Amino acid sequence: MEGQDHIEDFGDHDQLPIGYRFVPTDEELVNHYFMNKVLCNPLPASTFHEIHATKFYSMPPKSLVEFASDERQWFFFIDDDDDDDDDEKKKGIRRVGDGVGFWHSNGDEEEKPILDPNGNVLAFKLHLIYFSGTLSNPKKTHWSMDQYRLPNQFYSLHNLKEEWAVGRLRRGRDYNFGF
């Protein structure tokens, strides 16, 4: 995937019925899409895009999506890497591009566990808000993202080396095309 300058579609959009809205719960997203992706199992028809983290975090969110039929939500399989500044990542900050903006956790820097019906941890979820500008001069935008990651034990248990994340990217109702 490295060196590619485009976002790859994952799934066949033509298989989805007209008027279909993809609104999985957190548990459905993790069980039926995320885990199957990581384990290389077949996925149901989906609206996911596959992208490397370096590419994902190199541009503002509106550059990552195509606007169609008043959509407000997009899903990404993000091929995660550890190239970013760990100190900033621990603080819930992911810089975008050359200072055009950054993602920041919504004040609660703790990842929230997603539990199965028996109380076992399936995954972790972190809510991020996109700010344009710099850390010293931020401007809150109408973009947010829930980022999901599987527990480290999942990768160890299945002897997997490549780590993935899922991003549920959203734009708010007061979205202004000019920001």
Side-chain angles (χ1 to χ4, degrees):
M1 182 127 202
E2 204 168 308
Q4 294 180 354
D5 288 336
H6 66 281
I7 299 169
E8 291 187 25
D9 284 334
F10 199 84
D12 186 354
H13 298 296
D14 296 334
Q15 292 180 1
L16 302 176
I18 295 171
Y20 175 83
R21 297 291 180 258
F22 185 68
V23 288
T25 64
D26 289 342
E27 190 175 337
E28 290 168 339
L29 187 63
V30 170
N31 279 325
H32 300 286
Y33 294 91
F34 195 10
M35 286 184 182
N36 283 330
K37 168 64 178 163
V38 171
L39 295 172
C40 299
N41 292 333
L43 296 169
S46 71
T47 58
F48 282 81
H49 302 283
E50 187 174 313
I51 187 170
H52 194 275
T54 304
K55 183 74 174 168
F56 186 85
Y57 292 109
S58 71
M59 59 184 81
K62 72 177 183 176
S63 299
L64 293 167
V65 301
E66 294 179 21
F67 295 100
S69 67
D70 201 31
E71 285 181 275
R72 296 195 181 283
Q73 181 169 254
W74 297 266
F75 293 87
F76 293 86
F77 286 125
I78 304 168
D79 186 3
D80 209 5
D81 60 14
D82 291 322
D83 295 342
D84 289 332
D85 183 345
D86 283 336
D87 288 338
E88 284 191 353
K89 225 173 164 182
K90 287 176 188 170
K91 294 177 185 173
I93 298 170
R94 294 290 299 248
R95 289 183 195 259
V96 174
D98 293 329
V100 296
F102 60 95
W103 289 98
H104 192 279
S105 64
N106 63 344
D108 183 11
E109 296 167 13
E110 293 283 321
E111 294 177 312
K112 296 192 181 342
I114 298 169
L115 306 174
D116 69 10
N118 297 324
N120 300 314
V121 176
L122 293 173
F124 294 96
K125 174 180 163 181
L126 181 64
H127 185 74
L128 301 163
I129 305 291
Y130 182 73
F131 292 83
S132 62
T134 62
L135 291 171
S136 61
N137 189 19
K139 179 182 176 196
K140 186 175 180 180
T141 69
H142 299 289
W143 290 96
S144 67
M145 176 174 57
D146 290 328
Q147 188 169 25
Y148 302 82
R149 72 169 186 84
L150 295 172
N152 293 334
Q153 302 90 313
F154 182 88
Y155 291 96
S156 301
L157 179 67
H158 295 284
N159 218 13
L160 300 167
K161 304 280 185 246
E162 189 174 28
E163 290 191 21
W164 290 87
V166 167
R168 183 192 306 240
L169 186 62
R170 293 185 177 110
R171 67 180 173 129
R173 293 225 174 262
D174 296 328
Y175 181 74
N176 177 355
F177 282 98
F179 85 78

